[in-house]
Amino acid sequence: MKKRIGVLTGGGDCPGLNAVLRVITKTAIQDFGMEVYGFEDGYAGLVENRFRPLSSWDVSGILTLGGTILGTSNRANPFKYPILKKQKLTYRDLSNQALRHYRKLGLEAIIAIGGDGTLSIASHLMKMGFNMVGVPKTIDNDLKGTDFTFGFDSAVAIVTEAMDRIHTTAESHHRVMIVEVMGRYAGWIALYGGMAGGGDIILIPEIPFDFKKVFSKIKERHKMGKNFSIVVVAEGAYPFRGHQIVKQKVKGSPDPIRLGGISALLSEKIEKKTGFESRFTVLGHLQRGGSPTAFDRILATRFGYEALQLIVKGDFGKMVALQGNEIESIPIEQAIGDLKKVPLDHPLIKVGRSLGISFGN
Ligand code: F6P
């Protein structure tokens, strides 16, 4: 009998997911004669038994495609499954139902492609008897154990392009332009995007900022003859002795807090305190859309290939990870729990300071 494996994409979408699905499916079929079943909408497909067999043909031509052909969900936790009845939201533990589906399908293992939430669920499923292998994805790059997740480079490329475009208006109108980027509680996108896009001030959650330092940096630039400034602010950045701005609370989400709004506050204060005209742009979900960069296509492809090799070896409960230039595997437990934040001694912060970039402190 042919070996059969499952695959699912969970959490927020990001460029590169389809590249992983492509390599897993093609290699499983062509090199190992396996069957591949794709669960729809993340763990929802496993709980509700919604899946489709994937052929090489199904995954042909999707390398460059953003999003995920399987669909995804960041609410479908089998252990706390949201059920909406008569407009009332309740939760049930449907993990046993998921296990029944897994067994009935005769799956050897499931490859879960996702971030902290998806991989935490994978780790709990392992304890119930599922064989799981993880592939790390997130534009936020905040997963421990891997130097980079795929999706991050694509998001940084979008931020960089946006900053290049915003520069022209900043210079022409002598304005202070603020670009708010995603990243949740970590400042990776702001740091890399800000450095690549030539930001003058970069504000990240790891370094609570001082408004006065931000104002004085802008005034100092104007005095030097640079009568415009670009500020890159992470959605999770917050002022010293202040707090993060919550934009929205998403019912039914395991992580209901959605951050956002700091750029509007900054813009208002900058205009008031410096007298310079200011505008803000929230890049939002543009950062998660579109085609993956070459780096992400390759990283996603390497990750997917190695995840499949782990299944072939029967090495379950592992997540593939980029360490240096090598693809390694680590226990899923080592990647989840607390997030990988930007260390305060990160080389880019050091270089940034030497370049005269302010980090708001
Ligand atoms: O984790 C990826 C991410 O895009 C974060 O950067 C952002 O804060 C969040 O997801 C947005 O979530 P949603 O798509 O549910 O609004």
Side-chain angles (χ1 to χ4, degrees):
M1 220 179 93
K2 277 186 175 180
K3 268 193 188 168
R4 187 178 291 161
I5 62 165
V7 61
L8 61 85
T9 51
D13 71 325
C14 81
L17 287 166
N18 287 324
V20 183
L21 296 175
R22 169 180 175 263
V23 69
I24 288 172
T25 305
K26 287 197 173 190
T27 311
I29 294 172
Q30 284 156 30
D31 287 4
F32 301 105
M34 292 174 173
E35 284 180 331
V36 183
Y37 281 15
F39 289 101
E40 293 170 350
D41 303 330
Y43 289 110
L46 186 59
V47 169
E48 296 169 15
N49 213 21
R50 284 192 285 118
F51 62 86
R52 54 178 191 263
L54 295 176
S55 67
S56 295
W57 185 253
D58 291 323
V59 295
S60 176
I62 65 170
L63 171 66
T64 59
L65 209 64
T68 159
I69 59 163
L70 290 179
T72 186
S73 165
N74 48 16
R75 298 172 197 217
N77 179 352
F79 298 94
K80 202 177 166 213
Y81 202 72
I83 293 162
L84 192 64
K85 230 184 203 172
K86 290 184 187 157
Q87 290 185 330
K88 212 180 153 241
L89 189 65
T90 53
Y91 296 92
R92 276 182 63 197
D93 181 351
L94 295 181
S95 53
N96 280 318
Q97 182 173 309
L99 186 60
R100 277 198 302 280
H101 295 152
Y102 170 83
R103 293 215 166 116
K104 207 165 161 208
L105 286 174
L107 295 177
E108 172 83 5
I110 294 178
I111 299 180
I113 312 166
D116 188 61
T118 306
L119 296 173
S120 299
I121 294 169
S123 146
H124 288 303
L125 291 175
M126 272 296 292
K127 289 177 193 133
M128 286 181 71
F130 285 81
N131 291 331
M132 303 294 295
V133 165
V135 176
K137 73 85 226 191
T138 163
I139 63 163
D140 303 336
N141 196 38
D142 59 358
L143 263 178
K144 281 190 305 175
T146 184
D147 293 346
F148 290 104
T149 50
F150 69 85
F152 171 67
D153 187 66
S154 303
V156 168
I158 292 160
V159 172
T160 309
E161 197 203 324
M163 286 182 62
D164 290 351
R165 290 174 188 274
I166 274 169
H167 244 102
T168 58
T169 306
E171 284 206 58
S172 309
H173 287 263
H174 319 308
R175 283 178 181 163
V176 180
M177 301 294 278
I178 305 169
V179 183
E180 180 175 317
V181 303
M182 281 185 165
R184 274 189 216 262
Y185 305 102
W188 294 105
I189 299 178
L191 179 62
Y192 274 69
M195 290 297 288
D200 305 301
I201 301 173
I202 299 174
L203 305 175
I204 60 174
E206 291 83 351
I207 307 177
F209 64 87
D210 180 346
F211 277 113
K212 284 192 190 137
K213 294 270 165 71
V214 173
F215 306 148
S216 61
K217 177 72 196 175
I218 294 166
K219 285 186 193 156
E220 180 196 306
R221 280 178 52 80
H222 276 247
K223 254 192 224 149
M224 274 168 23
K226 286 275 185 188
N227 52 8
F228 72 95
S229 293
I230 309 270
V231 183
V232 184
V233 61
E235 60 182 359
Y238 59 98
F240 185 62
R241 288 213 193 90
H243 53 81
Q244 287 170 322
I245 302 183
V246 176
K247 178 182 63 182
Q248 193 186 353
K249 287 194 179 167
V250 182
K251 264 193 186 169
S253 167
D255 184 6
I257 304 291
R258 294 294 177 275
L259 299 167
I262 184 68
S263 57
L265 178 75
L266 264 168
S267 181
E268 193 196 311
K269 285 197 184 279
I270 286 171
E271 273 207 3
K272 222 187 243 165
K273 295 286 179 184
T274 65
F276 303 126
E277 199 179 12
S278 172
R279 294 286 190 276
F280 65 92
T281 304
V282 181
L283 292 185
H285 289 85
L286 285 177
Q287 292 158 97
R288 276 194 358 212
S291 197
T293 56
F295 179 88
D296 277 342
R297 292 178 199 188
I298 289 175
L299 183 59
T301 300
R302 291 177 75 193
F303 274 167
Y305 180 82
E306 292 301 332
L308 187 68
Q309 307 306 313
L310 289 175
I311 292 189
V312 171
K313 284 188 272 176
D315 197 0
F316 305 121
K318 297 281 179 64
M319 180 191 89
V320 291
L322 180 72
Q323 293 176 356
N325 198 28
E326 300 302 317
I327 307 291
E328 306 289 351
S329 64
I330 60 168
I332 293 177
E333 278 75 28
Q334 276 179 24
I336 56 178
D338 36 299
L339 300 173
K340 182 186 72 184
K341 302 221 176 157
V342 176
L344 296 181
D345 60 353
H346 192 281
L348 268 187
I349 297 182
K350 214 171 149 200
V351 179
R353 290 198 197 282
S354 296
L355 284 168
I357 294 167
S358 165
F359 289 90
N361 64 342

